[in-house]
Amino acid sequence: MPVRQNLITAALLFGLVALTFFLNQSALSGNWRFDDGWLLDYASRFSPFDYFFNPAITRGYSLNNLTPTNPLIFDLNLWLFGFDPKGFYIQHLATLAGCAIASYLLLRCWVSPQFAFIGGALFLIGTPTQFVAQQLMVGHYVSGLLFSILAIYAFQLNLNRRHWLLTILTTLFYVIATTCKEVYFPLPFVLLLLPGQSLSVRLKLALPMLIWSAAYMFWRLAVLGSFVGGYDAGGQAFSLSKAVQSYGAIPELLFATPYLPWLLSLIFIALIVTLALRKRLNIPLMVVALLAVLLPLLPLTQHPGITEANRYLLLPWWLFTMTLIIALANTDSLNIGLKSVILLIFMAAAGTQAWQAHQAMQSRISRFDAVYGFFLQPPTGGIFYAKEIKDAYYLDTVLNGARYAQARVSGESTEKLPLFMDSRNLRSIDTEQKSIWRYDTDCQCVRNISDRIKSGKKPKPKAPKILTVAISPPYPPLFEAGPGSISMRLPGEQSLQIHGHSVHPADDLEHQIILITPQKPKRIKSKLAAVEAGSADHYRFTLTLDYGDRNSRDLAAEQSCLLIRSAYSPIRLLPNQQATACNDLLSIKP
């Protein structure tokens, strides 16, 4: 009997692995996408010791998030697979399959093997899971979920066996999960409510995790300057209606619309209420787990908003699938036939929505696949043109970041690939010597458009545009110092004023002064003028940033940075003697 049971378990686990790769097989042919370029740049430049234990380098990854395991994943994959994205995707999907397997093992503590397998399968079918499967940059969400599930499983086993090795494993899994992403931080407070032992025993078993929780908070304070954070922390007034609207829209993001999501929500609520009335539901555990998962989403409801079932909903989706399976398996008033019908409806609705979301995402995926391919293997003299001036900083960091990383891995040297954003400047390019390329949505490829450009006189240099990146942006790991400098003053209780000058190469084009600030200002005013009449390369500027409170202003004064970029020159950092957090990001070369 044990042999047969082991064979069944092995078959079910293999089925979850096969389902993972079957549903997401298209990822195996994917190129680098989204933020992969700057992550590759960061991981190829630094060692794990650097981005785990050097606050300046850790902060160079993000001003608002403490997630050093994400570059570690890229670092390990570069070591294992070199600069081959296919190996990265294999590891990524294997971790995703690991989440499904760990979910199966956890569910087996409370339900039959069949229900546990369906739980793992439903998790894989969902839109958030298939969304993250196509994006290497969110691998830390997947890894964090895997180690969180393993921590829960080890803690549950430890409640019965009370072995020191399980205590060490639980703590180790939790430590890794928190370094992946902050959303997994509340886990110990959920584990304290698992049934099986007295509260004193649970506290004793969870004590090492709680000690790490405290240490983690002070680590975050030392690196980022605050105990809590996230996107747009304190940048705008909190809107309760906006939060309620965002939370209320989640069912429609997870299941096929228009009316099915609310029917499924009612079924789910009915199952929970039935178990609660029969006193077969651990209400405190469910409430705390729900708060632990949904509260971290609260800042996101304000900015950038929860508008699709992406990485933000991965953990909520996992909690929902686990709860649904446990509730359905323990509802004795339903026969197996009705339970099967309910599960089929949930799986069909989730699968349909996932397919529709994947189709909607395909255009973005195809664009990144093609453009990254061009930047990594450009034709001699190739120049890339994109109209998105507001995304100039982003495109430069991710696309040329991939070039820098590729050169480090191969041991070769490289230069920045020219990136133009203004079509008027293309006329100055000698198309006899160089070629101009642009992404074409019709063929989903990068095409040569040199024959469409009429050559002409080189336009006169224009005053730099001032761009603002006010949410934790993609960062090149380090910058070389740019010509110029800045200083800061505090003219009011909630205002920050930045004065400075910058020098821009006269033979370059499309200059921008880019403000990086950890908190989004309520208002930004800018003044820029040439140092001398007729000067086309030396500028003085003043930026006035108004914040909602003094603390936000003070944090911005400590961490706001100014960068300069242009079509041909690498992004550079203007030195600021008053903001060491920015000067820590200086390097000799990009």
Side-chain angles (χ1 to χ4, degrees), residues 312-334:
Y312 301 145
L313 297 187
L314 182 66
L315 181 56
W317 170 246
W318 177 83
L319 179 63
F320 171 81
T321 57
M322 299 299 103
T323 306
L324 173 67
I325 294 300
I326 293 173
L328 199 57
N330 288 280
T331 304
D332 298 332
S333 58
L334 300 178

Side-chain angles (χ1 to χ4, degrees), residues 127 252 255-257 349-362:
T127 303
E252 293 184 353
F255 298 106
T257 54
T352 302
Q353 183 73 349
W355 181 82
Q356 293 174 350
H358 180 77
Q359 294 300 111
M361 185 174 57
Q362 192 58 48

Side-chain angles (χ1 to χ4, degrees), residues 154-196:
F155 190 84
Q156 178 64 34
L157 292 180
N158 207 17
L159 288 175
N160 299 325
R161 303 179 185 179
R162 300 174 65 179
H163 195 281
W164 63 268
L165 182 58
L166 287 172
T167 301
I168 292 176
L169 285 176
T170 303
T171 306
L172 177 62
F173 292 149
Y174 173 63
V175 169
I176 297 174
T178 56
T179 62
C180 289
K181 192 61 185 172
E182 295 98 330
V183 294
Y184 303 111
F185 172 81
L187 182 60
F189 306 99
V190 178
L191 297 182
L192 286 174
L193 296 170
L194 285 176

Side-chain angles (χ1 to χ4, degrees), residues 31 40 99 144 167 174 201 210-211 214 242 256 305 349 377 383 440 586:
N31 201 349
L40 290 163
C99 290
T167 301
Y174 173 63
V201 171
L210 295 172
I211 293 174
K242 195 172 183 179
Q377 291 184 322
I383 291 173
D440 190 315
L586 284 171

Side-chain angles (χ1 to χ4, degrees), residues 342-558:
I342 292 174
L343 285 172
L344 284 174
I345 294 174
F346 271 97
M347 296 182 79
T352 302
Q353 183 73 349
W355 181 82
Q356 293 174 350
H358 180 77
Q359 294 300 111
M361 185 174 57
Q362 192 58 48
S363 61
R364 284 182 287 168
I365 288 176
S366 299
R367 178 185 177 94
F368 275 109
D369 284 347
V371 174
Y372 266 113
F374 174 81
F375 266 73
L376 293 174
Q377 291 184 322
T380 303
I383 291 173
F384 189 75
Y385 166 61
K387 293 195 298 183
E388 300 91 340
I389 182 66
K390 66 178 182 178
D391 295 328
Y393 173 70
Y394 173 79
L395 290 176
D396 215 332
T397 57
V398 300
L399 297 174
N400 276 302
R403 284 177 57 81
Y404 301 146
Q406 183 185 46
R408 290 190 199 97
V409 172
S410 65
E412 301 175 356
S413 61
T414 192
E415 294 180 352
K416 173 185 173 179
L417 190 75
L419 181 61
F420 279 76
M421 302 285 179
D422 190 334
S423 60
R424 293 170 295 184
N425 292 325
L426 298 178
R427 292 176 298 171
S428 66
I429 298 172
D430 182 1
T431 53
E432 295 292 329
Q433 303 293 326
K434 299 181 182 297
S435 56
I436 304 170
W437 300 73
R438 181 182 177 185
Y439 179 75
D440 190 315
T441 55
D442 293 332
C443 69
Q444 296 184 338
C445 65
V446 178
R447 280 185 170 174
N448 189 336
I449 61 169
S450 302
D451 56 351
R452 306 180 196 174
I453 307 300
K454 294 181 180 180
S455 298
K457 294 182 179 180
K458 185 173 182 178
K460 295 181 180 180
K462 299 177 182 178
K465 293 181 180 293
I466 296 179
L467 306 179
T468 302
V469 181
I471 59 172
S472 182
Y475 250 129
L478 291 177
F479 308 91
E480 69 176 37
S485 64
I486 60 175
S487 62
M488 296 180 176
R489 59 184 294 266
L490 308 176
E493 189 72 13
Q494 301 174 3
S495 297
L496 169 65
Q497 207 166 67
I498 304 176
H499 303 274
H501 80 279
S502 58
V503 182
H504 305 266
D507 58 346
D508 207 337
L509 293 168
E510 303 197 352
H511 303 295
Q512 288 106 34
I513 298 174
I514 302 169
L515 168 67
I516 304 295
T517 178
Q519 309 240 10
K520 186 175 181 180
K522 296 176 66 175
R523 286 178 299 275
I524 301 177
K525 297 179 182 179
S526 61
K527 294 180 181 180
L528 184 143
V531 173
E532 298 178 0
S535 170
D537 52 2
H538 288 65
Y539 290 89
R540 294 192 184 279
F541 55 84
T542 299
L543 302 180
T544 303
L545 315 178
D546 293 328
Y547 288 90
D549 58 78
R550 183 173 180 175
N551 291 335
S552 299
R553 190 276 312 271
D554 291 345
L555 182 61
E558 294 174 1

